[in-house]
């Protein structure tokens, strides 16, 4: 018994007709029915995604799996299929799936590269002019088009219903699921690092340099701590932490004292960069307070980052005050999307996860 994958090359003329036929659930059920009834195939599932049409199956030893796949796809396509297929067996078939999940195969790379068209606005250029960006939504996970993960899940469901999902494909599905979970964690970490780098770059645009600047972390959580860590790495030496006993860990990490919320006004006069993630009792960053702070700062600029999930922690009206630059997480994400460091560390992390998945599955296959 041998695992294999056969796919129709999306750059070949036969792809549109085959894809159109199998875009319908009835067409997919019919092909899986042909897999179930084939004397040389014991398992099979069909993945149909944007720019991807693949059959993962298990064939008897000694049979020509390529010819079998060509016959199955040929029944639903207009034109010659045999020369339009790509094919892999055994661990190479699993590697193909893992590369696709990691966004590392040629079809995933092509889809990713076409997502950014020449001539799109440079979000950082706008930041260089210190304009207030309009948020364009959260930063998406880099790499793989979302459609593939959803279509893989659908493929598994349809194979179960067609009774074409056996032990080999179940093991492959479990490996793919584990890899997807690891990718999600890696993407979240990479996205946070990229957003933190954007916040640092914005600060450089505001202040010119970060030495001798002071960062105030209010209601510090995991995200604002990541931002503060990026500022620490960029040369900031002075930190203040505003909050209650729950902020002691943040204070320890930053080597900073925990300040009394009643001292907020004085702390803001001293602070150049403010990172606010959660509400602190007795401390509200509203326009009235900030208006007095701006007057006492005598023209020195401030960078405020509302690190809360909904961007409502800092009164948005403070952005109209002279020398105050306010950004939400959505703003940082919008700028990061077009920044050179948008995929900071992502490709290296994905390649390592891909190599680990291939090695682990190879051991499982024996």
């Amino acid at each position: 018994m041998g695992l294999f994958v056969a796919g129709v090359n999306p750059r070949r003329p036969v792809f549109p007709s085959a894809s159109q036929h199998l875009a319908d659930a009835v067409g997919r059920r019919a092909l899986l029915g042909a897999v179930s009834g084939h004397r040389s195939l014991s398992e099979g599932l069909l993945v149909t995604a944007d720019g991807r049409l693949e059959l993962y199956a298990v064939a008897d030893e000694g049979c020509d799996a390529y010819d079998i796949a060509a016959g199955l796809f040929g029944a639903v396509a207009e034109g010659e299929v045999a020369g339009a297929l790509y094919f892999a067996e055994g661990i190479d078939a699993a590697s193909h799936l893992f590369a696709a999940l990691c966004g590392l195969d040629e079809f995933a790379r092509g889809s990713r590269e076409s997502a950014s068209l020449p001539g799109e606005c440079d979000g950082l250029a706008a930041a260089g002019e210190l304009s207030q960006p309009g948020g364009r939504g959260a930063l998406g996970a880099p790499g793989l088009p979302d459609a593939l993960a959803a279509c893989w899940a659908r493929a598994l469901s349809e194979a179960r219903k067609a009774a074409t999902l056996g032990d080999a494909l179940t093991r492959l599905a479990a490996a793919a699921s584990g890899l997807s979970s690891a990718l999600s964690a890696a993407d979240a970490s990479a996205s946070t690092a990229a957003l933190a780098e954007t916040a640092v770059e914005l600060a450089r645009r505001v202040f010119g340099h970060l030495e001798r600047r002071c960062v105030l972390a209010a209601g510090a959580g995991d995200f604002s701590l990541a931002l503060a860590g990026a500022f620490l790495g960029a040369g900031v030496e002075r930190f203040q932490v505003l909050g209650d006993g729950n902020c002691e860990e943040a204070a320890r990490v930053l080597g900073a004292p925990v300040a009394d919320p009643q001292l907020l006004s004085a702390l803001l006069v001293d602070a150049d960069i403010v990172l606010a993630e959660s509400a602190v009792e007795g401390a509200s960053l509203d326009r009235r307070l900030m208006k007095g702070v701006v007057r006492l700062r005598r023209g020195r600029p401030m960078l405020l980052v509302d690190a809360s999930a909904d961007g409502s922690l800092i009164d948005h009206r403070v952005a109209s005050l002279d020398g105050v630059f306010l950004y939400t997480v959505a703003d940082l994400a919008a700028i990061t999307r077009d920044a050179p460091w948008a995929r900071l560390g992502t490709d290296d992390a994905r390649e390592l996860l891909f190599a680990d998945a291939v090695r682990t599955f190879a051991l499982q296959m024996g």
Side-chain angles (χ1 to χ4, degrees):
M1 306 286 283
L3 172 69
F4 73 88
V5 59
V8 182
N9 191 319
R11 302 185 181 94
R12 296 300 180 90
V14 299
F15 181 82
S17 62
S19 180
Q20 183 177 6
H21 183 89
L22 294 173
D24 184 80
V26 174
R28 294 193 299 273
R29 282 198 298 270
L31 192 146
L32 288 175
V35 169
S36 178
H38 200 289
R39 62 182 182 182
S40 296
L41 298 180
S42 58
E43 301 182 42
L45 62 81
L46 184 65
V47 178
T48 57
D50 183 25
R52 194 178 295 272
L53 187 59
E54 297 175 346
L55 172 68
Y56 290 83
V58 177
D60 292 342
E61 295 291 346
C63 69
D64 193 329
Y66 184 94
D67 279 352
I68 294 173
L72 292 170
F73 281 125
V76 298
E78 297 175 5
E80 179 61 35
V81 169
L85 293 185
Y86 53 88
F87 182 83
E89 295 180 284
I91 189 59
D92 291 335
S95 296
H96 176 80
L97 172 61
F98 299 155
L101 289 171
C102 291
L104 298 175
D105 76 344
E106 60 175 319
F107 303 129
R109 284 187 183 278
S111 182
R112 184 176 69 201
E113 289 164 1
S114 65
S116 297
L117 301 176
E120 286 187 340
C121 66
D122 183 349
L124 197 57
E129 299 169 4
L130 301 179
S131 61
Q132 296 293 330
R136 290 183 291 164
L139 179 66
L144 173 72
D146 292 337
L148 179 55
C151 289
W152 173 253
R154 183 184 67 193
L156 289 171
S157 175
E158 291 178 342
R160 289 190 187 95
K161 292 178 181 178
T164 58
L165 188 65
D167 291 342
L169 290 181
T170 297
R171 288 196 299 271
L172 181 63
S177 176
L179 176 58
S180 295
S181 297
L183 286 169
S184 295
D187 283 345
S189 177
S191 294
T192 298
L195 293 176
E197 184 63 25
T198 295
V200 169
E201 185 62 25
L202 287 171
R204 290 195 178 104
R205 302 277 175 124
V206 173
F207 304 109
H209 65 84
L210 299 181
E211 293 78 10
R212 297 187 300 279
R213 302 297 173 186
C214 178
V215 172
L216 172 64
D222 291 341
F223 182 56
S224 56
L225 268 180
L227 296 181
F231 281 111
L232 182 63
V236 173
E237 297 178 353
R238 288 204 299 137
F239 291 87
Q240 295 275 4
V241 175
L242 184 72
D244 51 27
N246 294 328
C247 293
E248 290 181 353
E249 178 62 18
R252 185 190 64 78
V253 171
L254 297 174
V258 177
D260 190 327
Q262 294 184 4
L263 301 177
L264 177 60
S265 182
L267 293 170
L268 289 171
V269 171
D270 185 47
D272 302 296
I273 301 161
V274 178
L275 310 175
E277 186 169 1
S278 60
V280 176
E281 187 176 355
S284 177
L285 295 170
D286 56 30
R287 190 177 188 278
R288 180 179 179 182
L289 171 68
M290 291 303 302
K291 190 174 181 179
V293 168
V294 167
R295 184 170 59 252
L296 291 173
R297 287 180 63 84
R298 299 181 182 277
R300 289 184 294 132
M302 295 184 74
L303 173 66
L304 278 62
V305 177
D306 188 331
S308 62
D310 59 1
S312 63
L313 193 58
I314 300 177
D315 187 342
H316 65 88
R317 295 175 299 171
V318 306
S320 65
L321 299 174
D322 291 340
V324 175
F325 302 96
L326 171 63
Y327 292 85
T328 65
V329 176
D331 295 331
L332 294 181
I335 297 170
T336 303
R337 190 176 293 111
D338 299 319
W341 53 84
R343 295 182 54 79
L344 188 66
T346 300
D347 287 333
D348 289 344
R350 283 174 170 255
E351 288 175 1
L352 287 173
L353 289 172
F354 164 72
D356 286 345
V358 172
R359 183 166 49 250
T360 301
F361 194 74
L363 291 174
Q364 291 177 357
M365 289 182 67

